[in-house]
Amino acid sequence: MSTFLPAIRLLQPDRLKGLAPGVMLAVLIALAATFLSEHYGAPVMLFALLLGMAFHFLWDEPRCAAGIDFASKTLLRLGVGLLGARITFEKIGALGFGPILLVLVSVTATIGFGLLMARLFRRHWTFGMLTGGAVAICGASAALAISAVLPNRPEREKDTLFTVIAVTGLSTIAMIAYPILFTALGFDDREIGVMIGATIHDVAQVVGAGYAVSEEAGDTATFVKLLRVSLLPVVVISIMLFARRGEGARGVSLPSFVVLFAALVVANSIGAIPAVAAAALSEISRWLLVVAISALGMKTALKEMFALGAGHINVVVSITLFLMALALGLSVLV
């Protein structure tokens, strides 16, 4: 029942009124990005991100903030969940066992490397676990989940805020740079999708980078990314056991958008979703993701990341580069 409470609250008039300005701004930016994409041929996700960043000042406007945050989180998750309507077991099987092994190895190794970097730069192990888990799994969402089960230290809130800003900023850079890098290295669209899904931190930027390359790359990147996301409960429970302190911890379960994604994949694979309905869900998903990327751009302020300390930045950048280098080293698996 608790899963549906946010949706019930959303239907309340006051809630809708509070969200409307920010959501409508994100929709307008998405429309502008679509227009530019259709007329100039560049990826719509890139236009949405850059236009959104140009309107970052609106993130500080109280009337807009709630709607922008809603679009960048809730609409994003719904859009990703609906992507399951365009994926089948046949497509997943075509990936092979290699990408799954790549994800398992890279997530484990990246968290371990985060602990090592924290020690090297004289940071508390909890910061290494926080940043390592965020980079390895799903960026800001993982950072918030992991923070909830870490020991309650005075620096925990500050470290969490830094990690959220850092992984979002680095994901934004990666969304633009990684498709160029992987293309230059000679990967085909499927391989680019695997590499994007295995290396970029946040789901939003994975989706943006993947579909900026091609539909195949986007579908593949989304699936590989969701493999990483599905490991979040395992990592959080492991941290709880390791820390031996459940203070402030909450129950852990798969995110609802992952469940929706999986359910639609199953339904689509067995032919339960008519082709017309699958096409409609796919188009709805595309629009939701463009709107979400627009909102994410409005929330992104890279300069804030560099104002929080060189040591912290060194740790999270080192982990990010490690994950990319490891994925490249394991690219023979894909």
Side-chain angles (χ1 to χ4, degrees), residues 14-307:
D14 290 344
R15 175 67 170 157
L16 289 172
K17 184 178 179 180
L19 294 176
V23 172
M24 290 306 299
L25 279 170
V27 170
L28 286 173
I29 292 174
L31 289 170
T34 301
F35 175 85
L36 291 173
S37 175
E38 291 175 349
H39 285 75
Y40 296 98
V44 64
M45 295 294 187
L46 181 58
F47 274 129
L49 178 68
L50 295 178
L51 288 174
M53 291 175 69
F55 287 90
H56 170 69
F57 64 92
L58 292 172
W59 174 238
D60 297 321
E61 170 57 52
R63 291 176 298 177
C64 300
I68 293 171
D69 189 60
F70 174 82
S72 69
K73 293 180 179 178
T74 303
L75 295 187
L76 166 69
R77 292 164 184 159
L78 180 58
V80 172
L82 292 179
L83 282 174
R86 65 190 302 169
I87 297 175
T88 64
F89 289 139
E90 183 179 356
K91 290 184 178 180
I92 294 173
L95 286 175
F97 181 70
I100 298 175
L101 181 60
L102 185 152
V103 167
L104 292 174
V105 172
S106 61
V107 166
T108 303
T110 301
I111 294 175
F113 188 77
L115 293 171
L116 177 63
M117 287 296 99
R119 184 178 182 87
L120 180 64
F121 287 99
R122 300 174 184 269
R123 292 314 192 259
H124 196 270
W125 71 265
T126 55
F127 180 68
M129 184 69 76
L130 185 65
T131 53
V135 170
I137 302 174
C138 55
S141 298
L144 296 173
I146 291 171
S147 175
V149 298
L150 286 174
N152 190 15
R153 302 174 59 249
E155 298 84 0
R156 186 176 69 173
E157 184 174 340
K158 180 179 178 181
D159 286 348
T160 302
L161 174 62
F162 168 82
T163 302
V164 169
I165 294 172
V167 295
T168 301
L170 289 170
S171 291
T172 302
I173 294 171
M175 176 182 170
I176 299 170
Y178 282 13
I180 298 172
L181 171 63
F182 297 143
T183 300
L185 291 174
F187 293 131
D188 61 27
D189 284 4
R190 174 188 167 280
E191 292 168 337
I192 290 174
V194 173
M195 297 302 292
I196 286 173
T199 55
I200 297 181
H201 312 333
D202 283 319
V203 175
Q205 287 89 340
V206 167
V207 171
Y211 286 106
V213 175
S214 71
E215 183 175 310
E216 180 184 6
D219 288 348
T220 303
T222 300
F223 173 69
V224 173
K225 179 61 180 177
L226 291 178
L227 284 177
R228 292 165 66 191
V229 174
S230 68
L231 295 176
L232 180 58
V234 177
V235 172
V236 171
I237 292 171
S238 299
I239 293 171
M240 291 171 61
L241 295 175
F242 179 74
R244 294 184 180 180
R245 294 177 66 176
E247 186 176 4
R250 294 187 295 270
V252 180
S253 60
L254 282 176
S256 57
F257 71 91
V258 177
V259 176
L260 175 61
F261 180 91
L264 287 175
V265 170
V266 172
N268 200 28
S269 298
I270 64 176
I273 302 178
V276 175
L281 290 173
S282 177
E283 184 64 13
I284 292 171
S285 172
R286 187 186 74 83
W287 273 104
L288 287 173
L289 292 174
V290 176
V291 171
I293 292 288
S294 301
L296 184 71
M298 285 190 279
K299 291 177 64 176
T300 301
L302 296 182
K303 65 178 182 180
E304 295 181 12
M305 182 180 68
F306 298 102

